[in-house]
Amino acid sequence: MAEVASGRLGTRLGRILLLLPYAIKHPGVSIGELSERFGVTTRDLLEDFRLVYLCGLPGYGPGDLIDVTLEEDAVYVSMADYFGSPLRLTAAEALALYSGGAAVAALPGMEEADALRRALAKLGGALGASGTDGDDSGIEVKLAHGPAEHMEILQRALGEGKRVSLEYFSASRGALTSRVADPWGLVATLGRWYLIAFDHLSEDERMFRIDRIKSAALLDERANVPDDFDPERYKAAFVEREKQARLILEISPEASGWFRESYPALGARGLADGWTRVEMASGGEAWAATLVLRLGKDVRSVRPETVMTAARTLGAAMVSAHTS
Amino acid sequence: MPMGTRHGYSRDMRRIERLINLIAALLDTTRALTAEQIRSRIAGYDQESFEAFRRAFERDKEALRAMGIPLELSKSDPFVDQEDAYSIPKARYYLPQLDFDPDEVAALKIAAEILLGAGEHASAALLKLSIDSPSAPTPAPRIVWGANLAAEQPLLGRMYAALIERHPVTFRYHTAAGESSLRTVRPYRLLHRNGHWYVVGFDPDRSAIRAFRVSRIDAVIDVGTDDYEIPEDFDAGAHLGEAWAIGDEPHTATVRFDQTMRWWAEQNMPDCVVREAPDGALELELPVGNEDALISWAIGFGSAVEIIKPETARARLVEHIRPLLEAAP
């Protein structure tokens, strides 16, 4: 039933309800500007206006229909004062823009943070429908970003196209590492910020958790940044690589629910006794060992065997530390 | 301008035309219109039978609601029993004048562009909000970044709509263990934390504040019509901290970060640090409501972190790991 709002029809209707107030407020606006602003082709725009030209108020005589005039490239819309302002934001629109804004405004080193906070306060104040108080949007966004100075250095490096040196706690190695990296961009996902960079230590692209950077320094060397860097690729905090090591586990029925919620699986198969056999990309042996220890009695048949050995070694050390 | 004939005009286009006429008439009218008046006056409702009209009108009403267009029912005259007439209240349709400064619009643009996943919603919002600003040249690309806030989940929008309207929501909810039940909440806040959205609010069945993970809501069963108020000093963060902090009887745990990882605690949890041990290790005190979550968190640091207190958590960690050490290789 909601096909109008979500489908092609709704997109067009929504656009028209926005196009009209814009054209009314800016008489003589060019088709070219409208096309760029609304991200539609000239052809679609002309079709929109042709459609609007046939609409209006009951009576539908010359004095009732919306008047659309096209002179050369300039558009004039009149006789449609009731479409003089856009529709309020939907809850989904308000939430998306507000949360994106809140994420950016909380970022240390953001030049625009002040303007953004002012904008969000105005937006928050307008969101309430009934009896909302002040600028309270009701939305809070928390993204871990570690110490402010690291974020500032990384933003500078990205802005100037410079290389950085990092001291980084690598979960896959289970150790603090020193590395040189070419920063590509910043991506927030799973509730925290990551630096996407080419890592000279592993000679591959890596997602660095910013809260695990112990220290960061700007180097006076140019970073190589690919032209086609696309943050979308890192959305899930997990980038599939060729030759990525695999981890195979069997998970108990009790733990399979949260495990599925927490870790992306490459494949999963139910077993006769209710356990689930999961195949996933391994984040490295040390990482896999802590995953096995977290699962405790809810995991069995871990492959490769080296992961199980590493888990037992680490587990024995932890048990001994907590029994003495 | 070149006007096409109505030949070859698709059904979709005719439907959009009808919807525009309906919105125009209901926005412009000073008196609400009954279904019969809508049928006889508004262009596009030329269905042959009343039944066919009714079906078309029902679909159109649903389409308006789905787009967020407020449709209000009232009585066509004071002497009828039922609310039988429709209008679109101007005050609820029109976006209020927000008077953004140019630098504020530019900042909102950054916010809209950063979103991975819900970008279309954010761009639509931005287009509405910047209606008074002439198109500015796109700023030169600077830092490339993106934020996946999982803001595109449809149920999140429904929860937020309920929060804005201050209406209680009843929904089917499942826990991590897979148990499903019907729950009700008066939404006070939506919180994005640890990569998940939570609706935090008052649960009238439990008479307490509860946090629900939105991705675990299977379906919204009902949105009430009664209103509620959000306490002025409500602090959602107090009800939703780290996983180990959530629980019924929070108590204090002491954990020790050894020399190799103490920097992590100093950088990320400075408020919890209580003392430095002679060997250079750092001790932290944490409010813990869920010892299992504390253990899982501590294991993530390997042998760099030791739980010092309480004794029950130490014993539980040992109990949790030991079966793995004993199992046959």
Side-chain angles (χ1 to χ4, degrees), chain B residues 94-175:
Chain B
Y94 296 129
L95 183 72
Q97 193 77 24
L98 291 175
D99 298 322
F100 287 111
D101 296 331
D103 64 333
E104 293 169 354
V105 174
L108 283 176
K109 194 161 184 216
I110 295 176
E113 283 169 357
I114 199 175
L115 280 179
L116 304 173
E120 274 178 36
H121 286 314
S123 312
L126 186 67
L127 280 173
K128 288 179 180 179
L129 294 173
S130 58
I131 193 98
D132 289 314
S133 334
S135 300
T138 316
R142 9 172 296 154
I143 296 174
V144 185
W145 49 16
N148 171 16
L149 300 178
E152 67 278 16
Q153 323 172 44
L155 285 178
L156 191 61
R158 291 200 68 183
M159 283 293 165
Y160 192 44
L163 190 155
I164 292 173
E165 304 282 349
R166 306 285 192 268
H167 290 328
V169 188
T170 302
F171 51 91
R172 181 157 291 286
Y173 188 71
H174 69 265
T175 62

Side-chain angles (χ1 to χ4, degrees), chain A residues 27-277:
Chain A
V29 61
S30 74
I31 288 283
E33 187 194 327
L34 289 174
S35 158
E36 197 186 315
R37 188 179 184 95
F38 294 95
V40 276
T41 61
T42 305
R43 206 190 123 171
D44 275 347
L45 274 176
L46 290 175
E47 212 167 83
D48 287 352
F49 282 119
R50 190 173 307 148
L51 191 146
V52 164
Y53 190 79
L54 300 163
C55 299
L57 292 174
Y60 305 103
D64 308 307
L65 290 175
I66 298 173
D67 195 28
V68 181
T69 318
L70 194 63
E71 284 173 13
E72 305 275 311
D73 192 34
V75 182
Y76 299 88
V77 174
S78 58
M79 301 293 291
D81 290 351
Y82 43 85
F83 283 135
S85 288
L87 176 63
R88 275 174 179 270
L89 305 192
T90 64
E93 288 167 354
L95 181 120
L97 185 61
Y98 194 97
S99 54
V104 176
L107 208 54
M110 267 296 298
E111 257 172 73
E112 296 85 351
D114 175 59
L116 194 51
R117 273 188 214 106
R118 276 184 276 122
L120 292 181
K122 287 181 185 174
L123 179 57
L127 290 179
S130 50
T132 310
D133 31 351
D135 66 351
D136 189 0
S137 66
I139 297 170
E140 283 176 40
V141 175
K142 198 172 157 63
L143 296 171
H145 56 62
E149 69 253 35
H150 294 172
M151 207 51 160
E152 283 157 13
I153 289 169
L154 296 177
Q155 288 189 59
R156 255 190 74 195
L158 284 160
E160 296 171 16
K162 293 273 174 65
R163 243 168 220 171
V164 289
S165 67
L166 303 173
E167 274 187 290
Y168 182 74
F169 177 76
S170 158
S172 59
R173 297 168 194 247
L176 197 65
T177 55
S178 290
R179 49 233 285 173
V180 170
D182 290 13
W184 291 355
L186 296 168
V187 169
T189 185
L190 305 182
R192 51 180 98 92
W193 284 98
Y194 291 82
L195 169 72
I196 319 292
F198 182 84
D199 170 31
H200 292 255
L201 185 67
S202 56
E203 296 189 314
D204 200 357
E205 61 179 319
R206 282 286 179 273
M207 291 182 79
F208 294 105
R209 274 178 67 158
I210 293 186
D211 65 319
R212 288 192 179 153
I213 294 175
K214 186 184 177 192
S215 71
L218 208 57
L219 299 179
D220 197 21
E221 289 169 53
R222 285 217 68 75
N224 295 320
V225 183
D227 296 332
D228 57 349
F229 172 70
D230 180 10
E232 190 76 30
R233 177 169 141 78
Y234 308 92
K235 214 174 127 170
F238 163 75
V239 182
E240 197 163 350
R241 296 192 195 91
E242 287 170 53
K243 286 194 268 171
Q244 174 115 30
R246 297 289 166 97
L247 179 64
I248 296 167
L249 308 164
E250 288 179 16
I251 311 288
S252 78
E254 293 75 27
S256 67
W258 74 257
F259 191 84
R260 201 173 331 117
E261 274 186 3
S262 311
Y263 300 98
L266 297 172
R269 182 161 56 89
L271 302 175
D273 59 356
W275 285 55
T276 310
R277 193 176 164 83

Side-chain angles (χ1 to χ4, degrees), chain B residues 9-323:
Chain B
Y9 210 60
S10 74
R11 268 182 67 207
D12 281 3
M13 297 293 265
R14 229 164 284 172
R15 172 116 191 266
I16 294 178
E17 203 183 297
R18 183 174 81 206
L19 285 165
I20 293 175
N21 285 327
L22 177 66
I23 298 164
L26 295 182
L27 257 178
D28 190 64
T29 187
T30 44
R31 285 185 80 159
L33 302 176
T34 62
E36 195 54 66
Q37 287 165 333
I38 287 169
R39 187 187 180 199
S40 62
R41 290 185 198 171
I42 297 178
Y45 291 111
D46 44 9
Q47 295 78 10
E48 287 193 0
S49 65
F50 187 79
E51 188 47 36
F53 157 74
R54 211 192 49 77
R55 276 200 306 271
F57 183 48
E58 284 303 318
R59 287 210 311 146
D60 289 354
K61 282 197 294 187
E62 185 53 45
L64 297 197
R65 284 201 190 98
M67 290 188 68
I69 297 175
L71 197 59
E72 230 166 57
L73 258 179
S74 56
K75 292 182 179 182
S76 58
D77 77 63
F79 304 105
V80 297
D81 294 335
Q82 274 193 342
E83 295 186 320
D84 59 348
Y86 299 88
S87 63
I88 295 174
K90 293 185 177 65
R92 286 180 56 207
Y93 178 98
Y94 296 129
L95 183 72
Q97 193 77 24
L98 291 175
D99 298 322
F100 287 111
D101 296 331
D103 64 333
E104 293 169 354
V105 174
L108 283 176
K109 194 161 184 216
I110 295 176
E113 283 169 357
I114 199 175
L115 280 179
L116 304 173
E120 274 178 36
H121 286 314
S123 312
L126 186 67
L127 280 173
K128 288 179 180 179
L129 294 173
S130 58
I131 193 98
D132 289 314
S133 334
S135 300
T138 316
R142 9 172 296 154
I143 296 174
V144 185
W145 49 16
N148 171 16
L149 300 178
E152 67 278 16
Q153 323 172 44
L155 285 178
L156 191 61
R158 291 200 68 183
M159 283 293 165
Y160 192 44
L163 190 155
I164 292 173
E165 304 282 349
R166 306 285 192 268
H167 290 328
V169 188
T170 302
F171 51 91
R172 181 157 291 286
Y173 188 71
H174 69 265
T175 62
E179 290 146 9
S180 175
S181 61
L182 274 191
R183 304 295 297 265
T184 297
V185 69
R186 297 176 191 158
Y188 286 180
R189 285 282 189 290
L190 285 177
L191 239 77
H192 180 85
R193 189 167 282 205
N194 300 326
H196 298 285
W197 281 97
Y198 297 86
V199 50
V200 187
F202 185 77
D203 176 343
D205 301 323
R206 309 279 196 284
S207 286
I209 302 293
R210 287 285 183 271
F212 300 95
R213 196 190 275 193
V214 175
S215 61
R216 289 189 186 147
I217 297 175
D218 298 317
V220 170
I221 305 297
D222 183 50
V223 178
T225 49
D226 45 327
D227 292 350
Y228 58 87
E229 273 182 31
I230 298 175
E232 227 166 77
D233 54 354
F234 182 69
D235 175 11
H239 300 278
L240 186 65
E242 299 292 341
W244 33 260
I246 307 168
D248 289 331
E249 287 167 40
H251 50 279
T252 301
T254 308
V255 297
R256 187 211 304 263
F257 279 76
D258 76 8
Q259 286 178 59
T260 65
M261 280 306 278
R262 58 172 284 173
W263 62 271
W264 186 89
E266 285 173 304
Q267 288 186 358
N268 293 286
M269 307 174 72
D271 299 341
C272 298
V273 175
V274 288
R275 73 184 72 83
E276 188 173 347
D279 64 354
L282 211 59
E283 287 190 7
L284 281 74
E285 286 185 356
L286 319 169
V288 168
N290 178 340
E291 287 189 354
D292 287 328
L294 176 73
I295 288 162
S296 180
W297 176 77
I299 289 173
F301 293 98
S303 16
V305 166
E306 180 186 346
I307 300 172
I308 308 290
K309 266 190 272 194
E311 204 49 56
T312 49
R314 286 173 66 82
R316 212 187 271 225
L317 181 139
V318 170
E319 204 181 300
H320 180 86
I321 292 179
R322 208 163 247 162

